[in-house]
Amino acid sequence: MSVWARATAAVEASLLLVAGMATNAADLRAEAAPYFKVHSTHNTHYYPVAGRTQEEIWAQLNGVANPLAVDQHAGTRPLGHATFTYRYDYQSAYGSNAANCRVDTGNLEFNFDTVLPELANTGGIDKQLESRWLSFQDYIAEHEAGHHSIYRELVTLIPQAMQEIGEVPCSELANQVSTAVNEVVAAVRQASAEYDANYASETQLASSL
């Protein structure tokens, strides 16, 4: 083999080695990224409200027809309600050594629920009041949808928080995952509370009905 041929072969071998190292590094990075399977549902429940006048309907909204518990801060029953529940589990994998672990895969389930009022019988009320009721109901639905826009951020925030933990001592992984998830959920609940604080109170809606 000529000197030129040997030099060319050496360069090609070096390029293959570098390419192989880059491929291995990419594979390691891909392995380090956790895989999450997410399932979510959203259900809307209506409670019937009866009445033929504004006063009768409002009394129903704040009385026995309303299944929602009295808000301890406002002292009244909310007219609508948005809530969520979540569950998660994960599987860990070893990190760079047998003493370190990371989140490898995870399963997350979210259930988003909305409770809204619904006029039981529109046949007995005048068209003007019915029109005001529909606008009133849309306003409540829009408000609760705003809460769910905040809550649905959990679908991406929880997996992100679990991934950002990275590689830690195996004995600490479970506690760090729990802490990370709880902090994310607490931040979302706080954002939801602040959203309420910046929104017109539901008792102020009486004049629009």
Side-chain angles (χ1 to χ4, degrees), residues 89-109:
D89 62 70
Y90 67 92
Q91 295 73 46
S92 62
Y94 288 121
S96 57
N97 58 64
N100 289 345
C101 291
R102 58 180 175 79
V103 174
D104 185 38
T105 62
N107 296 293
L108 297 97
E109 295 182 10

Side-chain angles (χ1 to χ4, degrees), residues 8-204:
T8 301
V11 170
E12 290 176 348
S14 297
L15 290 173
L16 288 171
L17 179 60
V18 171
M21 292 173 62
T23 301
N24 290 337
D27 289 342
L28 287 174
R29 285 195 297 272
E31 290 174 3
Y35 170 77
F36 294 98
K37 183 178 180 180
V38 179
H39 176 71
S40 66
T41 60
H42 190 158
N43 300 296
T44 301
H45 311 276
Y46 295 91
Y47 63 92
V49 176
R52 294 187 176 184
T53 66
Q54 176 186 359
E55 292 74 18
E56 290 176 354
I57 293 173
W58 192 250
Q60 287 272 303
L61 287 168
N62 289 279
V64 294
N66 189 333
L68 299 172
V70 173
D71 185 295
Q72 297 303 314
H73 298 289
T76 59
R77 297 176 188 271
L79 306 180
H81 190 55
T83 188
F84 69 91
T85 58
Y86 69 97
R87 294 176 58 189
Y88 71 89
D89 62 70
Y90 67 92
Q91 295 73 46
S92 62
Y94 288 121
S96 57
N97 58 64
N100 289 345
C101 291
R102 58 180 175 79
V103 174
D104 185 38
T105 62
N107 296 293
L108 297 97
E109 295 182 10
F110 297 91
N111 185 44
F112 303 98
D113 281 306
T114 306
V115 178
L116 297 172
E118 183 176 53
L119 204 56
N121 182 12
T122 58
I125 65 175
D126 64 67
K127 295 300 181 182
Q128 186 177 11
L129 179 56
E130 181 181 359
S131 178
R132 293 202 306 271
W133 166 263
L134 292 174
S135 297
F136 177 80
Q137 186 183 45
D138 286 345
Y139 184 88
I140 298 172
E142 177 186 344
H143 176 76
E144 303 310 329
H147 282 290
H148 281 303
S149 293
I150 298 170
Y151 294 156
R152 281 194 296 269
E153 293 182 13
L154 291 169
V155 173
T156 56
L157 289 176
I158 289 180
Q160 180 181 336
M162 294 173 71
Q163 179 174 347
E164 289 177 351
I165 294 170
E167 184 179 317
V168 298
C170 293
S171 60
E172 300 177 9
L173 182 61
N175 183 59
Q176 291 206 28
V177 168
S178 178
T179 299
V181 171
N182 288 341
E183 288 178 351
V184 166
V185 172
V188 165
R189 292 193 189 279
Q190 179 61 33
S192 179
E194 292 173 359
Y195 167 79
D196 260 342
N198 294 324
Y199 219 84
S201 68
E202 290 176 327
T203 54
Q204 293 176 309

